[in-house]
Amino acid sequence: DCSVLIDAFTSVAIMAAESEASRKDEEGLGQANRMNVYYEFALIVESICAVEYARPMAMKEGVISLLLLWLGSGDMDLERPAANALRNLTLTQDDYTAGWVHSTLIHEKGLIVIVGQLESGDSRVRLAMAEAISSLTVAPHTRAGIIEARGVKYLVQLLGSLDIQARDEALALAAGNALLRLAMGATCSGDTHVSFICKAQPTSTKERIIDDIIQNGALNSLVLMAKAENFGSLRFLSAQLLCVISEGCKGHTEIDGAEGQLCDAEAVSALGKILSRDITFIRSSVENSLASSDTSDLINDPLSNDFLTSNTTGSAENTIKEVRHVLRGLINILHPSFSREDSNTRAISDTQLKACSQLLTSGGLKSLLWIASMTQDACSKLAMIIREPSFCHDIQIGSFQALACLCPLLLSPNGPTPCTAKWAPFVLSALVNALKKQSLVSITSDNSNDIITDIYIDLLQGLGCLADCEPLKTKIIDELMPHLLEYQ
């Protein structure tokens, strides 16, 4: 029986490797032949741990203790196979085996060893350990163990030291995803739901992780990742992490200096460029879909034709998801604060004006206005393309809130540029049309009335700032006043 043979081979191989480890310790580094045999056993154990079926038997034979011994040996010929084997064990798809691996690593204090190897001089060991840590962040008890072992510090330093433009993409993805899951919890993944209507929750762990990322050099690496011209795993990850970091700008997780450091690193400019590129892609696709709705021929636009004739919707869905993360991040950074003396008075900081300037120069404001102006037909076409009806509505909510955040900045006497105010009438029209059509009620029909009210308040406060300008005030009175009675 094949299964019996596999179990027997696994058991014998690990027992032999443990025996060799004991003899090596007794006899010292001794003869070269003995060391060659020892290294061969390490490679055999690595191969065993790569096979899903053999992993339970390997665990039964106590393989983790042996692997941790090799990982801390200082011998690269042992550390490499040990790191790969541990990584493979953490990737098991069997829930029982995964729990066994997690509990054994905690019991053996293996997380401290794994985290420490993020500083290994061997890039292959660093990668294997970063991928192992990323896998281990799926469970609350291993997340807590990684944090206790100072894993956040090591991951941040690793991410900050990478050459993103070289061959460090896999390492950046592993370290970044680990940080993302540590900050957000096990539910965080590529399809994490980004709500534009949730309030920040007090989470001390998240605050510490955000502060570590900002203070220890990873922010510049994330912004560099975000500046990639084309959609990819690294850019999507950077958008998610910048969204998480932006939560340090407001609410319960507010961190001193977070907003300023994000702007100094040009994070708003990077987010604005992502938004501009994604919306250019989406807009072209939607307009081509609308233009071709009465005929089978697509108009001559290679970008849209590739999009519409694709057999899969993965890239389209991910593009929209990226937009949602970007919008959430922009809202957090741009969201105005209120003075303590007067809750209706918005305090405008130089940092917010700088963020506004970065958004304007990146083309992000034009993209916000296009999202806000999407017709029902355009939303329906986009929903058909990505097969997610709620996504279009979600990004429209985000665009309304982001535009409302910009209102006090556009007319500020200390505005970022003399031409900033020219955008105010366009923002006004977008917000007025949203309120006149009661777009938010239809968008958030599944949510509570309190949340809908909060969004309306944000939009009305934004319009209140624009009303300081006499011509805009007249337009608000003429176009919106008859509808305001509906919100009482």
Side-chain angles (χ1 to χ4, degrees), residues 172-173 176-177 180 225 232-242:
L173 285 172
N177 278 312
L180 185 63
M225 289 158 57
S233 299
L234 276 181
R235 198 179 81 178
F236 184 52
L237 174 62
S238 70
Q240 290 178 283
L241 277 167
L242 289 173

Side-chain angles (χ1 to χ4, degrees), residues 286-287 289-290 293 373-385 392:
V286 170
E287 290 176 352
S289 182
L290 289 171
S293 57
S373 66
M374 285 183 72
T375 64
Q376 186 61 46
D377 284 347
C379 282
S380 298
K381 286 294 183 183
L382 181 57
M384 289 175 61
I385 293 171
C392 180

